[in-house]
Amino acid sequence: MSQIHQGRTVSHLSCRLCRGASGTIVLDLGEQPACDHFPSADDSGADPTYPLQMWLCSACGLAQLVDDPTDAEEPRGVEPAALVAQSVDAVGRVASAGWLRPGTKVAEYGSPHGGSWLDLIGERGLTLAGDDEVADVVVDCFGLMHWRDQAAAIAERADRVAPGGVLLLQYHELRAIVRQGQWNMLRLGHYAYYSLTALVGMLARVGFTVRTVWSFDLYGGTVLLAATRDGSPDGSVTRLLGEERQLEIDQPDYVGRLQDSASASAHGLNAWLAEQKSAGHLVLGYGAASRAVAMLAMAGVARTELTAIADASQAKWGRRMPGTDIPIISPSDLVSAHPERVLLLLSDLMTEVRADLPTVEADGGTWIDVASLVGTEHKVAQ
Ligand SMILES: [Zn+2]
């Protein structure tokens, strides 16, 4: 692993939002392979690696990816059922609160990971705005984080909102990422990691006020906010801002806990894999997602410990995980290998995979959530 710079104050960077130059490296994962390119299984590498660091701007409080030398082409993964269910819930709550008026127009800034709300919003009687047309409702569901220039991205969305219209923005909460030690959410192509505190400032720059927020359990903490050009915040906004203030969410001490989480995860995974190896268990993985790439790279896991990883996306079969020699197989190949242990690399899929692949457990196999393997001696008290 390359030199780690966590905790260092770095002043040669420029904030993606406010262009401020002072801030702190709060998470440094060293050199990592690009997580968007899955090489063919017979390509022996070595895969190019890039430094992966999170920087917290001390001026505007936006947590962000330091640099991205790649032009990441986001893989279109299979939409998890949890994401689909949450979008139904979210659109329902927004509609109940009166933000979706039939006969008005909607525009969406999509995420490369899927999860469009357009069909659900269409069912509420809204129609799609033309490409160059402003819209009464502008939706961005996990899209904004994928934009390198955050100032330009928020300005574009704000400009798209018609007079009297609303911007609906859904994001994975930074406090959830820190609280749950989800350090491997940091990845190339994901340029920003939001707190409501940072977003309030971000939206104020383009003349918008956050009016209300809804919280969801998705990914351990997802927030949907509604922002408009007028009006004032309701109790849900002031409450969440108060909670974030207590945590000191804009401070490097708090966000920097992610570094301890990363060490604890790598340590815990290595210890567990060593145990399984000495017990003679066949261990396969499930979920060849980009999040898993950083986890395996951080822990330095090889095929000798984790024989293969299954994934529902057929495009990945016959390929291997970047930065490792671990091949990617189909779920049915996983089942027929009769693994004693299946390491689930995407915690939010547990319910889904157990239901989809009942044979694993019927054959005496056990699903293990990778998030449960955090080394106890390194567990971060929060
Ligand atoms: Zn900034």
Side-chain angles (χ1 to χ4, degrees), residues 39-57:
S40 170
D42 51 26
D43 172 352
S44 59
D47 305 333
T49 58
Y50 309 91
L52 191 54
Q53 299 170 321
M54 186 191 288
W55 183 78
L56 185 67
C57 177

Side-chain angles (χ1 to χ4, degrees), residues 13-14 16 51-56 62-70 145 148 186-193:
L13 298 165
S14 168
R16 296 182 185 281
L52 191 54
Q53 299 170 321
M54 186 191 288
W55 183 78
L56 185 67
L62 183 67
Q64 51 201 281
L65 182 70
V66 165
D67 197 10
D68 189 349
T70 68
M145 68 190 312
R148 197 184 290 263
L186 176 67
R187 27 171 305 203
L188 299 176
H190 285 184
Y191 297 102
Y193 304 84

Side-chain angles (χ1 to χ4, degrees), residues 14-20 55 57 60-62 64 148-152 154-155 194 198-199 201-203 205-206:
S14 168
C15 175
R16 296 182 185 281
L17 177 62
C18 75
R19 314 299 187 218
W55 183 78
C57 177
C60 72
L62 183 67
Q64 51 201 281
R148 197 184 290 263
D149 184 339
Q150 291 286 299
I154 199 68
Y194 306 104
L199 278 168
M202 193 170 180
L203 285 157
R205 299 168 64 88
V206 292

Side-chain angles (χ1 to χ4, degrees), residues 206-280:
V206 292
F208 275 65
T209 300
V210 178
R211 301 284 301 282
T212 191
V213 295
W214 298 269
S215 295
F216 301 88
D217 292 336
L218 184 69
Y219 306 139
T222 292
V223 168
L224 169 62
L225 66 79
T228 63
R229 293 191 180 88
D230 47 26
S232 47
D234 70 7
S236 66
V237 177
T238 47
R239 192 160 49 244
L240 180 47
L241 287 174
E243 289 168 12
E244 289 189 347
R245 202 162 36 243
Q246 277 209 311
L247 295 172
E248 302 190 327
I249 195 127
D250 55 353
Q251 297 301 313
D253 277 357
Y254 177 73
V255 188
R257 293 178 185 185
L258 284 169
Q259 190 74 50
D260 303 322
S261 302
S263 308
S265 298
H267 187 273
L269 177 56
N270 281 325
W272 182 81
L273 286 168
E275 260 171 45
Q276 299 308 313
K277 201 172 178 180
S278 58

Side-chain angles (χ1 to χ4, degrees), residues 42-344:
D42 51 26
D43 172 352
S44 59
D47 305 333
T49 58
Y50 309 91
L52 191 54
Q53 299 170 321
M54 186 191 288
W55 183 78
L56 185 67
C57 177
S58 58
C60 72
L62 183 67
Q64 51 201 281
L65 182 70
V66 165
D67 197 10
D68 189 349
T70 68
D71 241 327
E73 190 65 34
E74 289 280 347
R76 241 183 205 287
V78 172
E79 245 171 57
L83 179 61
V84 177
Q86 187 271 344
S87 62
V88 173
D89 183 15
V91 172
R93 288 209 233 172
V94 174
S96 304
W99 294 102
L100 302 178
R101 287 171 291 128
T104 60
K105 297 208 164 172
V106 60
E108 184 178 59
Y109 287 87
S111 156
H113 308 300
S116 171
W117 288 8
L118 286 179
D119 287 348
L120 289 166
I121 291 178
E123 288 167 16
R124 305 280 173 169
L126 285 81
T127 55
L128 193 60
D131 281 349
D132 299 321
E133 206 180 0
V134 294
D136 306 287
V137 177
V138 172
V139 179
D140 185 306
C141 181
F142 305 119
L144 188 61
M145 68 190 312
H146 298 95
W147 287 53
R148 197 184 290 263
D149 184 339
Q150 291 286 299
I154 199 68
E156 184 178 331
R157 284 154 181 75
D159 286 349
R160 195 80 194 279
V161 178
V166 61
L167 173 62
L168 297 172
L169 187 63
Q170 177 162 285
Y171 62 97
H172 186 193
E173 287 190 282
L174 180 60
R175 68 167 179 174
I177 293 173
V178 175
R179 185 201 292 142
Q180 307 198 1
Q182 296 171 311
W183 55 271
N184 58 343
M185 293 307 297
L186 176 67
R187 27 171 305 203
L188 299 176
H190 285 184
Y191 297 102
Y193 304 84
Y194 306 104
S195 62
L196 182 61
T197 304
L199 278 168
V200 163
M202 193 170 180
L203 285 157
R205 299 168 64 88
V206 292
F208 275 65
T209 300
V210 178
R211 301 284 301 282
T212 191
V213 295
W214 298 269
S215 295
F216 301 88
D217 292 336
L218 184 69
Y219 306 139
T222 292
V223 168
L224 169 62
L225 66 79
T228 63
R229 293 191 180 88
D230 47 26
S232 47
D234 70 7
S236 66
V237 177
T238 47
R239 192 160 49 244
L240 180 47
L241 287 174
E243 289 168 12
E244 289 189 347
R245 202 162 36 243
Q246 277 209 311
L247 295 172
E248 302 190 327
I249 195 127
D250 55 353
Q251 297 301 313
D253 277 357
Y254 177 73
V255 188
R257 293 178 185 185
L258 284 169
Q259 190 74 50
D260 303 322
S261 302
S263 308
S265 298
H267 187 273
L269 177 56
N270 281 325
W272 182 81
L273 286 168
E275 260 171 45
Q276 299 308 313
K277 201 172 178 180
S278 58
H281 287 154
L282 173 62
V283 182
L284 298 185
Y286 190 96
S290 27
R291 270 183 275 167
V293 173
M295 174 68 84
L296 298 176
M298 188 76 186
V301 179
R303 185 177 192 166
T304 47
E305 301 149 298
L306 188 60
T307 307
I309 294 175
D311 194 273
S313 169
Q314 192 171 352
K316 291 178 184 167
W317 302 347
R319 302 192 166 269
R320 64 173 169 77
M321 293 298 279
T324 77
D325 55 357
I326 303 170
I328 302 169
I329 60 173
S330 68
S332 66
D333 284 347
L334 175 139
V335 170
S336 43
H338 305 290
E340 273 105 355
R341 299 285 182 270
V342 183
L343 181 66
L344 182 61

